[in-house]
Amino acid sequence: MLKERWIELADVKDELSERDWFMGTSGNLAIKVSDHPLRFLVTASGKDKRKRTDEDFLLVNEIGRAVEETHLKPSAETLLHVEIYRKTKAGCSLHVHTIDNNVISEVYGDNGDVTFKGQELIKAFDKWEENDILRIPIIQNYAHIPTLAHAFSEHVTGDTGAVLIRNHGITVWGRTAFEAKKILEASEFLFRYQLRLLEHKPYQLFKVV
């Protein structure tokens, strides 16, 4: 199981790195290995995610600490992944920093969220009805990770989801690696769409859905 999950997460990392979503070693990924006890693989801090090595991930426990003695350090945001696996049945969670998600988080940060309606890709979030609205929360970028994790945890309410951290990045999660990646891709599409729309219709910035 551990080897299978390692390969699965490495494949996701390779695909996201091809999209150039890991600038400056930023971002982190996690995948659940077991529920009882809670164990999950998470990216090691400070690694070049364009490369595939035997030290890309380490196994951590329910409080985000390495299960075995190692010189590797879990990614700084490991506690966010802990909150996801502690509260939901999600199996994979992804955190990336992109220009688009950072700009969106700043433009709409004072609102506390960014919303989308009538866009086809909100179906990635299981929004299928004509009048469905997708709301992606935006939280403050607390430097103190336990404080950040606490603020983040308030918005972890289902087995799939996404939360923006203002001027930081986005964390998404899903029941499988495929689902988490789908949600991440849909989110980034929606952000780019909204920013392009604002270039042509600046009044949309002030439109409340």
Side-chain angles (χ1 to χ4, degrees):
M1 177 67 76
L2 179 61
K3 183 178 180 180
E4 291 175 0
R5 291 293 175 262
W6 183 292
I7 293 172
E8 191 174 5
L9 193 59
D11 287 344
V12 171
K13 181 177 72 70
D14 289 348
E15 187 171 342
L16 299 187
S17 70
E18 287 299 314
R19 297 174 183 267
D20 211 15
W21 285 355
F22 295 130
M23 290 288 191
T25 76
S26 66
N28 45 83
L29 318 174
I31 194 166
K32 188 189 294 182
V33 174
S34 66
D35 286 297
H36 306 289
L38 176 59
R39 297 286 186 268
F40 63 94
L41 289 167
V42 67
T43 41
S45 182
K47 296 291 182 179
D48 183 351
K49 296 177 181 65
R50 287 185 175 276
K51 298 179 180 179
R52 191 161 179 161
T53 75
D54 293 336
E55 293 190 339
D56 288 338
F57 314 115
L58 66 157
L59 190 66
V60 298
N61 60 19
E62 71 281 356
I63 58 173
R65 294 182 180 174
V67 172
E68 299 177 349
E69 186 173 343
T70 176
H71 67 281
L72 300 174
K73 293 182 179 180
S75 292
E77 288 90 9
T78 296
L79 288 183
L80 303 187
H81 301 290
V82 167
E83 290 302 310
I84 292 168
Y85 300 136
R86 183 178 65 84
K87 297 182 66 176
T88 76
K89 295 180 181 178
C92 182
S93 45
L94 312 171
H95 174 81
V96 301
H97 307 194
T98 69
I99 293 173
D100 290 339
N101 67 42
N102 270 246
V103 174
I104 280 288
S105 73
E106 178 61 18
V107 170
Y108 293 95
D110 289 344
N111 296 342
D113 61 37
V114 57
T115 58
F116 300 94
K117 180 181 179 182
Q119 256 291 340
E120 183 70 13
L121 263 70
I122 70 172
K123 291 179 180 177
F125 291 80
D126 292 327
K127 302 288 186 180
W128 297 92
E129 299 301 322
E130 185 174 347
N131 294 318
D132 277 348
I133 295 175
L134 170 65
R135 172 182 174 271
I136 299 180
I138 304 171
I139 64 173
Q140 185 174 333
N141 184 21
Y142 296 101
H144 184 243
I145 298 300
T147 301
L148 179 64
H150 178 74
F152 174 81
S153 183
E154 294 180 9
H155 302 284
V156 179
T157 57
D159 297 337
T160 64
V163 175
L164 279 162
I165 305 171
R166 191 166 183 172
N167 283 322
H168 180 149
I170 188 171
T171 299
V172 307
W173 60 96
R175 288 167 284 248
T176 65
F178 173 80
E179 187 172 49
K181 184 169 68 71
K182 178 183 69 174
I183 290 171
L184 178 59
E185 291 170 345
S187 298
E188 291 294 329
F189 173 93
L190 291 167
F191 299 155
R192 181 165 294 190
Y193 162 83
Q194 187 68 7
L195 292 174
R196 187 69 59 86
L197 184 64
L198 292 178
E199 292 177 3
H200 299 284
K201 297 181 179 181
Y203 71 86
Q204 290 283 345
L205 176 62
F206 306 102
K207 183 179 178 181
V208 177
V209 176

